[in-house]
Amino acid sequence: MDQPSRSAGTVRPGGRTARVRAAVMEATQDELVEHGFHGLTMDQVAARAGVGKTTVYRRWGSRAGLVADLMTELANQSTPHADTGGVEGDLRANALSVLGAINDGRLGATFQAVIAAATSDDQAAGALRTFYLRRIEEWANVVELAVKRGELPEGTDGGEVIRAISAPLYYRLVVTREPVTREDAERSVSRTLAAARAGAFVVRGMEGES
């Protein structure tokens, strides 16, 4: 995953509906950062955004609905995958982008709040899953390019390579609650790339189909 804007809704296009959504998304992120998912309330989001409570309840329905839309907004703000001309540079760009996102005070807190919410709320879990699947699909393109350049074996599963890059970083963030450093990101890239070159991510039966 690459790093979206730190604040959802910071770009406000014309039109009242767009302005209301931008204000509500920014307020939702503010509330998540300050109070977490379980401290998030529709009324407080409405007050913070400066819009009517009925508007928020009618359009988003629940705090999980707010979170789902927020994750959509963050995904939309994310930039395309890197294209450094080589697989190592591309995977390093991915790892450093993940590192930047999870270590950012605002964005990292947002993701931690949504990850926590996903353990107990199906709609939040669905929103989180959709967000990451979009980003994995985007970054899997760098693996496809690497296969075409002959840097990785044919049939390499790009999505699994990208998952392997970020998995150790999120493990430290969410499970062991350790600091996540650039060294951790570099190590993840080195190990994943070595495994990919050795064919560890090749989907059997797909060799020769690229």
Side-chain angles (χ1 to χ4, degrees):
M1 185 202 80
D2 59 334
Q3 184 172 355
S5 169
R6 290 171 173 80
S7 298
T10 52
V11 177
R12 302 190 178 190
R16 182 178 182 279
T17 298
R19 289 195 297 271
V20 166
R21 180 174 180 268
V24 170
M25 291 298 92
E26 189 169 358
T28 299
Q29 190 174 10
D30 288 338
E31 289 294 306
L32 277 174
V33 170
E34 293 180 16
H35 306 294
F37 179 75
H38 295 293
L40 181 70
T41 69
M42 304 284 281
D43 290 1
Q44 190 59 35
V45 167
R48 191 161 197 155
V51 302
K53 291 188 291 185
T54 55
T55 298
V56 176
Y57 278 96
R58 182 177 63 251
R59 180 163 179 179
W60 286 276
S62 66
R63 62 184 179 180
L66 286 169
V67 168
D69 202 15
L70 173 64
M71 297 308 290
T72 297
E73 179 68 13
L74 292 174
N76 289 340
Q77 291 179 4
S78 296
T79 56
H81 66 80
D83 187 0
T84 66
V87 65
E88 185 172 1
D90 290 348
L91 294 182
R92 179 175 292 108
N94 176 257
L96 294 180
S97 190
V98 172
L99 178 69
I102 64 181
N103 280 340
D104 179 81
R106 179 174 174 77
L107 193 57
T110 301
F111 284 118
Q112 289 198 59
V114 179
I115 290 169
T119 64
S120 59
D121 186 280
D122 289 342
Q123 192 172 355
L128 188 68
R129 181 167 56 253
T130 298
F131 173 86
Y132 281 116
L133 286 176
R134 282 183 62 180
R135 301 317 306 153
I136 289 168
E137 182 179 8
E138 172 66 28
W139 278 90
N141 289 315
V142 306
V143 176
E144 294 180 13
L145 291 172
V147 171
K148 291 177 180 178
R149 290 191 297 259
E151 295 179 286
L152 294 177
E154 294 184 358
T156 297
D157 188 322
E160 289 304 300
V161 172
I162 298 304
R163 287 182 175 91
I165 291 288
S166 58
L169 309 184
Y170 278 102
Y171 186 90
R172 287 175 175 269
L173 175 74
V174 178
V175 179
T176 61
R177 312 293 291 182
E178 298 174 81
V180 189
T181 68
R182 184 183 179 104
E183 289 73 20
D184 297 321
E186 294 282 1
R187 189 181 305 114
S188 182
V189 171
S190 296
R191 291 173 175 173
T192 301
L193 185 55
R197 284 170 170 162
F201 299 102
V202 171
V203 177
R204 301 305 169 190
M206 290 181 59
E207 301 93 327
E209 293 183 11
S210 62

